[in-house]
Amino acid sequence: MRRPVLLVIAHGSRDARHTATVHALVERVRSLRPGLRVETGFLDFNVPSVHGVLRSLAAEGVRDVVALPLLLTRAFHAKADIPAVLRDAPARLRIRQADVLGPSPLLLSALERRLSEAGLSPADKSSTGVVLASAGSSDPEAIAVIADIAREWWHTGWCAVRPAFASASLPRTEDAVRELRALGCERVAVAPYVLAPGFLPDRIARGAAGADVLAEVLGPAPEVARVVLERYAAACRPAVAALGA
C-alpha cells in the first residue's frame, strides 16, 4: 500500500534566503524518511505553486496527499488560505490537511539548539532573559499560543522569557529586550520563532540590536524536520485506515 504523498506548503517570499531554507528543511525531512515522497508548493511569490504541484500529482495518477502547512501557529493561512487552495485541487485527489507545526516540545528543543549555537550554555540559563520573537498575527488564538509557549519555556530554567512580535501585535522585539534589561537579567537573548529568513525575521533582527545574543531562525533544524514527520503521521493514520477498508 502506497503511503500518501507529503506536500509541504510554504508561504513563499521574494527573499531568496526563504526559499533556500524551505528547500533545505524539505531535504532534511527526506533524509529522515527516505521512502517517503515529499513535494514542496508555495502559496505566493515562488514556484512551484500549490495548485501546480497538485495538478502534476493528479496527472501522474497519485490519489492520496497529506498537505502540511509549514506554519508555526494556526492563523489565517492555515484556517483560510490553505483550505481554499486545497478545495480547488483536482477532484481525483484525496487530500488531508495536517496540523501546523506548533506548539511542540521539539520546537522548544530547536530553539534551545539555536541559542546554544549562538554561544549560550546551560549554565547561562538562570541569568539569561529570552525574547521569544515571532512573526506576529492578528489572530488571537495564534497570539495566545505564543504567550503559552513563552510561559512553558520559562519553566525550563531561563531567568525570564517574554513573547514579542514583528507585526500585527505588541510588544515588539526591542520592547521585550528593554523589559528584560529592566528586570535585571544579566544577559538578554533573542530567539526567533520563525522558520526561514525574510522581511519579518529581518525586523526581529533589527529589534535585537540591544540584546547580547541573537539566534538563527529555526530553519532546517532536525527537530523541525521531526515535527513535520509527526504531523504527517498523525494526518496519515486515518487515510491509511481508509485505504485498507
Side-chain angles (χ1 to χ4, degrees), residues 194-234:
V194 293
L195 287 168
F199 176 75
L200 292 179
D202 283 349
R203 181 178 289 177
I204 290 171
R206 290 193 296 273
D212 302 293
V213 174
L214 171 62
E216 293 292 332
V217 300
L218 296 175
E223 296 86 356
V224 179
R226 287 169 56 196
V227 177
V228 169
L229 290 172
E230 283 187 356
R231 298 294 184 255
Y232 169 79

Side-chain angles (χ1 to χ4, degrees), residues 7-199:
L7 171 58
V8 174
I9 300 179
H11 182 271
S13 172
R14 293 186 179 91
D15 191 319
R17 297 172 299 164
H18 174 95
T19 313
T21 302
V22 169
H23 287 310
L25 174 57
V26 170
E27 284 303 314
R28 170 94 58 182
V29 172
R30 290 189 180 116
S31 73
L32 293 177
R33 192 68 57 83
L36 176 63
R37 180 173 178 181
V38 186
E39 300 291 342
T40 309
F42 295 91
L43 290 173
D44 208 351
F45 302 118
N46 305 112
V47 292
S49 68
V50 177
H51 281 299
V53 174
L54 291 172
R55 286 195 298 268
S56 295
L57 291 173
E60 289 179 31
V62 170
R63 294 298 305 277
D64 293 284
V65 177
V66 169
L68 188 146
L70 202 60
L71 301 168
L72 294 172
T73 58
R74 190 172 178 273
F76 182 78
H77 293 307
K79 294 177 179 179
D81 283 352
I82 291 175
V85 171
L86 298 181
R87 283 195 295 270
D88 288 339
R92 68 169 286 117
L93 293 175
R94 294 187 294 245
I95 303 175
R96 301 186 69 88
Q97 182 176 329
D99 288 338
V100 297
L101 301 183
S104 167
L106 284 169
L107 294 178
L108 282 182
S109 297
L111 288 165
E112 296 267 0
R113 172 189 292 274
R114 292 303 187 226
L115 286 172
S116 174
E117 292 167 350
L120 291 179
S121 72
D124 296 321
K125 291 187 75 166
S126 62
S127 57
T128 301
V130 179
V131 178
L132 179 69
S134 75
S137 173
S138 58
D139 189 309
E141 178 187 349
I143 297 305
V145 166
I146 299 300
D148 287 344
I149 292 169
R151 282 191 292 269
E152 179 182 351
W153 202 15
W154 171 59
H155 287 300
T156 67
W158 295 101
C159 175
V161 180
R162 293 292 185 270
F165 308 95
S167 68
S169 305
L170 296 173
R172 295 286 184 257
T173 301
E174 53 269 34
D175 299 326
V177 169
R178 284 193 290 268
E179 180 185 353
L180 291 172
R181 291 282 188 215
L183 281 175
C185 297
E186 186 175 313
R187 67 185 62 77
V188 176
V190 174
Y193 190 62
V194 293
L195 287 168
F199 176 75

